[in-house]
Amino acid sequence: MFTQEELIEANTGEDIPSILKVKDLCVDFFLPGGVLRAVNHLDFNLPAKRITGLVGESGSGKTTLTSAILRTVSNPGKITQGSILFEDKDILKLTDKELREFRWRDTAMVFQAAQNCLNPSMTIKEQFIETYLAHKKDLRVDEIAALSSKLLKEVRLEPERVLKSFPHEMSGGMKQRVMIAFARILNPSILLLDEPTTALDVITQDYIFNILLGIHESTKMTMLLSTHDIAVVAKTCDYMAVMYGGTIVEMGDIYEMFEFPEHPYTKLLIQAAPSLTGDLKARTAIPGNPPNLMEARKGCIFANRCPYCEEKCRQIEPEAVTVSQGHTVSCHRVKKVE
Ligand SMILES: Nc1ncnc2c1ncn2[C@@H]1O[C@H](COP(=O)(O)OP(=O)(O)O)[C@@H](O)[C@H]1O
Ligand SMILES: [Mg+2]
């Protein structure tokens, strides 16, 4: 899929620092029928100034992980264990005031139905100004309007028209682009994008990913893009983390992940995406069902669907091993490179 030059270029061994370090994170939903563990002892480092794709099927825990980073896990969910370090500060220990500052100023989020968050009774300009002033008071209203215009241009919207519009006067794709501009208003260093285009048509999706790539190119903002569509990750991201049953089973740079996937689930995900392999006949659904997250865990979370499952896999949970720089995988079949 990649040329030799591209592979060499990708593997020059540059050590990318992480901007966010998630350690041993557990998130539980306390339901009437029992406790559902949506995120299970998850470790994850988010590479700074890069776009990382978080890929996994529906229910694998992408939204829960993304919301945990902003401490917005919805009821009856609770973060029950772990730490999330940002600039050596644990987000899970921030005071309410510090948390308000962290949200929007350091990290902003755009999610699937984000456009529904726009206030129907205010113009876009009023909403930009209100959002800015809720966090910072250093700009005058006309300066905030000028900043808003710049950000709207970045998402290829006409500021003159859009700023005076009400949300109902815009299409879904336009509103989602407004939300991306909104997320940038306090110039955060991290942008979390949770299935930002899933509700939109394919053409609009592509258009929005191009816009995001343009923003990344000019700002080098760190992005975490969660999606169930591995083809989106292949087109857009520098790194890929594969999530399954509440943990990250494999992570690495995009070239490694697509050229040398190690985890059986990653391999199956790649095979199941015909637009990636170019072989439409080869499309294979991954057999079996996702794990029941309310049951006690034993062994590898993927064991019951894994074509290579052995007795050990049913009994012992595999630890993450590093197979090459920045490439980690949790599978008993994979041996550590000394
Ligand atoms: N508010 C909630 N109440 C109960 N269970 C939830 C809630 N939100 C998520 N879950 C459960 O947590 C698991 C992970 O969900 P989610 O993070 O939404 O996955 P994804 O975003 O990958 O589709 C799923 O089993 C889901 O049913
Ligand atoms: Mg989700």
Side-chain angles (χ1 to χ4, degrees), residues 27-31 36-39 54-67 73-77 112 194-195 226-228 243 245-246 291-294:
V27 184
D28 292 314
F29 285 94
F30 294 88
L31 305 175
L36 184 151
R37 172 147 291 187
V39 171
L54 181 64
V55 70
E57 58 198 347
S58 176
S60 58
K62 304 179 298 292
T63 298
T64 308
L65 170 60
T66 321
S67 346
V73 175
S74 59
N75 265 331
Q112 188 175 333
D194 186 22
E195 310 247 13
S226 99
T227 170
H228 60 276
M243 196 157 183
N292 181 346
L293 303 175
M294 289 180 76

Side-chain angles (χ1 to χ4, degrees), residues 263 299-301 312-313 316-321 329-333:
H263 199 285
C300 171
I301 186 81
K312 185 182 181 184
C313 309
I316 306 167
E317 194 182 340
E319 279 181 21
V321 296
V329 55
S330 305
C331 172
H332 286 305
R333 285 162 49 88

Side-chain angles (χ1 to χ4, degrees), residues 94-103:
L94 297 182
T95 61
D96 287 351
K97 180 173 175 285
E98 288 170 328
L99 191 59
R100 272 198 304 276
E101 282 170 11
F102 171 73
R103 292 181 186 151

Side-chain angles (χ1 to χ4, degrees), residues 124-142:
I124 299 302
K125 180 175 171 179
E126 286 163 348
Q127 297 188 52
F128 264 108
I129 293 169
E130 190 186 73
T131 307
Y132 190 93
L133 292 177
H135 294 86
K136 264 173 129 181
K137 313 269 186 237
D138 60 335
L139 294 185
R140 293 190 316 265
V141 165
D142 60 317

Side-chain angles (χ1 to χ4, degrees), residues 61-258:
K62 304 179 298 292
T63 298
T64 308
L65 170 60
T66 321
S67 346
I69 294 173
L70 278 182
R71 271 175 59 188
T72 55
V73 175
S74 59
N75 265 331
K78 283 207 165 46
I79 299 172
T80 45
Q81 196 169 314
S83 60
I84 303 175
L85 297 183
F86 172 76
E87 291 173 349
D88 297 323
K89 264 196 179 170
D90 188 351
I91 295 167
L92 304 185
K93 295 198 176 122
L94 297 182
T95 61
D96 287 351
K97 180 173 175 285
E98 288 170 328
L99 191 59
R100 272 198 304 276
E101 282 170 11
F102 171 73
R103 292 181 186 151
W104 292 85
R105 284 171 74 157
D106 292 318
T107 298
M109 181 161 170
V110 175
F111 43 96
Q112 188 175 333
Q115 64 262 36
N116 299 339
C117 299
L118 290 166
N119 185 333
S121 59
M122 284 167 78
T123 64
I124 299 302
K125 180 175 171 179
E126 286 163 348
Q127 297 188 52
F128 264 108
I129 293 169
E130 190 186 73
T131 307
Y132 190 93
L133 292 177
H135 294 86
K136 264 173 129 181
K137 313 269 186 237
D138 60 335
L139 294 185
R140 293 190 316 265
V141 165
D142 60 317
E143 289 171 325
I144 302 171
L147 172 64
S148 311
S149 295
K150 181 179 155 254
L151 296 174
L152 286 169
K153 275 190 202 143
E154 248 180 28
V155 295
R156 302 185 205 154
L157 288 170
E158 279 173 57
E160 302 74 36
R161 208 177 113 210
V162 170
L163 281 173
K164 57 176 192 265
S165 301
F166 287 91
H168 72 266
E169 294 170 312
M170 293 183 293
S171 70
M174 283 170 80
K175 283 190 273 189
Q176 196 66 329
R177 279 144 69 197
V178 168
M179 290 313 294
I180 295 170
F182 253 135
R184 300 252 305 109
I185 187 101
L186 287 129
N187 196 23
S189 38
I190 305 176
L191 185 58
L192 305 173
L193 300 140
D194 186 22
E195 310 247 13
T197 64
T198 301
L200 305 171
D201 65 84
V202 181
I203 309 267
T204 311
Q205 285 187 17
D206 271 355
Y207 191 64
I208 290 186
F209 285 123
N210 280 328
I211 288 172
L212 286 170
L213 280 172
I215 293 175
H216 182 259
E217 194 127 294
S218 57
T219 61
K220 293 288 172 250
M221 190 183 205
T222 304
M223 296 186 184
L224 178 65
L225 169 65
S226 99
T227 170
H228 60 276
D229 186 350
I230 196 167
V232 162
V233 178
K235 274 188 279 188
T236 325
C237 298
D238 305 304
Y239 288 84
M240 174 161 82
V242 178
M243 196 157 183
Y244 187 82
T247 52
I248 287 174
V249 294
E250 183 167 10
M251 171 155 183
D253 81 48
I254 202 80
Y255 296 95
E256 282 258 338
M257 293 292 282
F258 282 95

